Amino acid sequence: MMAAVPKVLCSEKGVLLRQVFALSRFLSHDLVSYRAATARENRLCAAGDAFLGCHRSYRSRPTHGIGRFKYLLPKEVPKRKKEKVQMKEISTGTEYQYGDINIQMTSYDLCLVEHFAQYVHRLCNRLSIRVNESYAMPTKTNEVLFLEERGSKMQLDAVLTTHQRVIQIRGLSSTFAPILLEVIQSNQPEGVHLLMKQHTEADFKSRLKSRPELEELLAEIS
Amino acid sequence: MARHCGVMAAPLARRAADGARRVCSAAAQRPWKLFGAMCLLRLPRITQPLEKEEEEVAALMEQIELEKSHYSDHEIRKLEEEEQLRRKKESLYDEDEARGKTVIMAQDLEEKWEQKFLHFKAAPRITEADKSNDRKSLSRKLDSNLMLLVKQKIGNQDLWLLPQVEWQPGETLRSTAERAMAMFLGDHVQAKVLGNAPYGIYKYKFPRAIRTENNVGAKVFFFKAYLQSSDVPQTELKADYLWVTKKELGDYLKLEYLKKVNRFLLDL
């Protein structure tokens, strides 16, 4: 009896499975023929095995929408275009820390100053000093004119471009700060000016472009 | 002793030196004499020469860059003018002549720049002080750090040390070190002290003959400063002073002292 029942179940299941298989085969055959009719280039489908390549999930397939996940994530607040004011840490406690410090490197040579900025950034990463931002200030172009007064006035031109890179650091402890300064200074290449100063709002504002039309309109209103 | 601690803690306004606090409490248990010493550094003026491999790599990279780079405006102009000259010689082109006479040729500009470059004389990397090995002058090794060493009388010995002076109660260790510097170099030396925390410590016990209950030994705290002005006026009070590099320190300092000093010296 016991032996018989499982057999029955099995057989039933088998029959069921076979039925399902047949049904699915029937459906897939339909699909295959349909696809073959519409897209002759689809070699995979025409190869013989019906299931190769036809994995597109239609709305009728149980796997429809299998990759969806956006509905599970929390809703994103749309970003405001306006820039927020920067934060500054006030030094307290026995382990005195500096707030935001800007390391500004200026030079006439672009490659040199960029490589030095990369070096300083990597050094801070290695010493586990948090680097807030690492940005470049716009380049300034200076034209040098020589006025030679020997008979005819000649003007010899030279065009000099000044490049500046800034690395912003936070959380530098006061015991470590002079060591960092010494390391950076001893690795300073020729021709690069180094400046370490506290970050102020004026520094932040200098990066933003002023909009003269907006200011004019504001002046007109007020 | 606690009173002294309190007075010392007040001037350490925003940046405390843990070392000073620890010393204060240690002084209550075992009295040590405290000294503040200043390591005055003259920063290098020029970069160190490249190693052989570095030079080879630099030359190779320059060549690669040159071969990969595009022509600049000046070079294009020069090539065009050479073309024009060549065409003029082969067959007379009158249309270009009028234009060519009024404009300065790129070749002339180059020659002018060459002349200017030849007039320019760079300062020598190896100065006379290097050649004569004058250890008292500041213009000696221009590519490395130079440190000030003075000869001081400790106990009954004359030793070469970094300038040090005993700590007076009621002042910070940093001001002790500054006082030491001012004592040997005069008041108006332009030096920038790096930080309020000491860089190193050297402690030693007095020989058994002098040692007493209240006077076990001495602790010397080192501070670092950068010399801002390029030249120090020759108004040194003590005659025996030297400016030496890190490698030459071994000639003058004692072994234990040298070990502690070398720990905080950065010589790249």
Side-chain angles (χ1 to χ4, degrees):
Chain A
M1 271 298 273
M2 294 293 277
V5 169
K7 265 198 217 155
V8 165
L9 282 171
C10 273
S11 64
E12 270 194 15
K13 218 164 95 180
V15 161
L16 204 62
L17 279 169
R18 254 182 273 128
Q19 271 190 344
V20 168
F21 189 70
L23 204 63
S24 60
R25 237 213 156 157
F26 180 68
L27 275 171
S28 61
H29 260 298
D30 247 3
L31 289 166
V32 163
S33 53
Y34 176 67
R35 289 184 98 237
T38 49
R40 296 271 168 205
E41 300 88 28
N42 204 340
R43 307 267 168 195
L44 284 170
C45 276
D49 193 358
F51 293 100
L52 254 184
C54 307
H55 290 306
R56 240 173 59 187
S57 10
Y58 275 113
R59 275 178 279 178
S60 53
R61 249 179 196 260
T63 51
H64 174 68
I66 193 166
R68 270 206 321 155
F69 66 94
K70 277 270 169 70
Y71 67 99
L72 294 169
L73 296 175
K75 291 277 181 230
E76 254 183 35
V77 180
K79 255 196 282 183
R80 282 175 294 160
K81 284 254 181 99
K82 195 183 150 201
E83 279 283 341
K84 291 180 206 148
V85 189
Q86 78 287 24
M87 295 173 292
K88 195 202 171 221
E89 196 186 281
I90 313 167
S91 45
T92 47
T94 48
E95 282 265 304
Y96 291 105
Q97 287 188 341
Y98 285 97
D100 288 335
I101 289 187
N102 277 356
I103 305 179
Q104 293 176 340
M105 293 155 278
T106 21
S107 172
Y108 293 122
D109 188 4
L110 178 70
C111 302
L112 205 57
V113 77
E114 265 196 7
H115 280 276
F116 188 49
Q118 274 181 20
Y119 164 75
V120 170
H121 200 312
R122 285 182 164 199
L123 185 77
C124 295
N125 284 350
R126 251 194 318 200
L127 300 169
S128 344
I129 303 173
R130 190 183 139 180
V131 175
N132 275 357
E133 283 177 82
S134 160
Y135 55 86
M137 298 296 278
T139 49
K140 299 181 196 156
T141 320
N142 289 331
E143 277 205 354
V144 181
L145 306 165
F146 287 103
L147 293 171
E148 274 189 66
E149 298 179 71
R150 255 193 295 138
S152 55
K153 265 195 189 175
M154 287 195 295
Q155 279 189 353
L156 296 174
D157 298 346
V159 177
L160 294 172
T161 47
T162 309
H163 308 270
Q164 189 178 47
R165 298 282 179 276
V166 180
I167 293 187
Q168 211 179 85
I169 285 177
R170 176 185 290 201
L172 189 66
S173 70
S174 65
T175 46
F176 186 64
I179 300 173
L180 179 72
L181 177 65
E182 212 186 321
V183 169
I184 294 180
Q185 253 190 323
S186 39
N187 280 310
Q188 208 182 343
E190 301 163 309
V192 174
H193 299 277
L194 181 71
L195 174 66
M196 273 175 97
K197 58 190 280 274
Q198 308 230 323
H199 187 60
T200 55
E201 198 154 336
D203 289 326
F204 180 70
K205 287 278 184 332
S206 68
R207 287 180 76 187
L208 308 170
K209 263 183 160 175
S210 64
R211 285 195 262 175
E213 312 97 20
L214 191 68
E215 282 165 21
E216 272 179 41
L217 289 169
L218 283 169
E220 273 179 35
I221 291 169
S222 60
Chain B
M1 278 302 165
R3 215 182 338 119
H4 287 171
C5 278
V7 166
M8 229 174 75
L12 299 169
R14 277 159 70 214
R15 305 188 208 139
D18 290 332
R21 286 222 187 114
R22 246 184 277 128
V23 159
C24 194
S25 55
Q29 299 161 13
R30 263 182 119 187
W32 296 80
K33 275 187 145 186
L34 302 177
F35 290 87
M38 179 63 84
C39 175
L40 190 62
L41 291 173
R42 184 224 65 180
L43 290 172
R45 300 247 188 89
I46 50 180
T47 52
Q48 290 170 352
L50 296 173
E51 304 269 323
K52 192 167 73 88
E53 293 91 5
E54 285 177 349
E55 274 195 34
E56 284 176 20
V57 168
L60 185 67
M61 294 300 292
E62 239 190 87
Q63 198 186 359
I64 291 175
E65 272 185 37
L66 188 70
E67 287 173 11
K68 270 191 178 178
S69 68
H70 297 280
Y71 282 128
S72 68
D73 291 332
H74 173 79
E75 283 180 332
I76 291 177
R77 202 176 134 193
K78 195 170 148 189
L79 287 171
E80 276 177 1
E81 280 167 6
E82 277 177 21
E83 268 286 317
Q84 277 181 9
L85 273 176
R86 209 168 43 79
R87 271 189 278 153
K88 261 197 239 174
K89 279 181 198 164
E90 288 170 12
S91 51
L92 297 164
Y93 262 124
D94 292 294
E95 9 179 316
D96 293 340
E97 246 188 275
R99 249 196 300 147
K101 286 277 178 358
T102 48
V103 164
I104 306 171
M105 306 279 281
Q107 191 67 38
D108 299 335
L109 277 173
E110 268 198 32
E111 281 169 17
K112 213 178 293 174
W113 294 335
E114 276 285 331
Q115 288 291 318
K116 239 181 154 179
F117 185 59
L118 289 170
H119 282 303
F120 174 74
K121 271 208 172 62
R125 287 180 81 102
I126 306 178
T127 57
E128 308 124 17
D130 266 326
K131 291 180 199 155
S132 61
N133 204 9
D134 177 20
R135 298 218 164 160
K136 290 201 174 188
S137 84
L138 266 178
S139 50
R140 199 160 64 96
K141 296 244 176 184
L142 287 178
D143 58 355
S144 42
N145 289 336
L146 282 186
M147 254 161 294
L148 181 68
L149 280 186
V150 282
K151 202 160 200 178
Q152 277 185 292
K153 199 164 168 102
I154 305 281
N156 46 5
Q157 284 178 334
D158 261 338
L159 297 169
W160 282 108
L161 307 162
L162 299 174
Q164 72 185 37
V165 119
E166 189 160 352
W167 171 74
Q168 310 281 347
E171 66 171 1
T172 60
L173 274 175
R174 176 178 158 161
S175 42
T176 318
E178 282 169 351
R179 198 159 53 90
M181 197 168 60
M183 205 167 88
F184 289 102
L185 289 179
D187 277 331
H188 300 288
V189 63
Q190 291 163 19
K192 186 168 177 174
V193 186
L194 295 172
N196 285 344
Y199 270 77
I201 169 173
Y202 171 63
K203 73 178 189 194
Y204 63 97
K205 291 192 175 169
F206 294 137
R208 288 201 182 268
I210 317 176
R211 214 184 294 186
T212 59
E213 262 308 310
N214 284 348
N215 221 1
V216 175
K219 290 186 182 174
V220 188
F221 290 92
F222 300 106
F223 286 82
K224 250 194 203 176
Y226 282 155
L227 192 67
Q228 302 282 79
S229 61
S230 54
D231 213 3
V232 170
Q234 300 297 326
T235 54
E236 310 258 347
L237 298 176
K238 293 269 159 71
D240 284 340
Y241 68 95
L242 285 182
W243 293 94
V244 289
T245 58
K246 186 177 174 188
K247 293 185 195 139
E248 294 157 7
L249 274 180
D251 302 335
Y252 298 96
L253 297 180
K254 295 214 150 163
L255 193 63
E256 283 297 321
Y257 194 82
L258 178 69
K259 265 201 252 176
K260 298 287 167 153
V261 168
N262 266 344
R263 282 187 67 171
F264 65 82
L265 287 183
L266 202 68
D267 202 17
L268 297 163

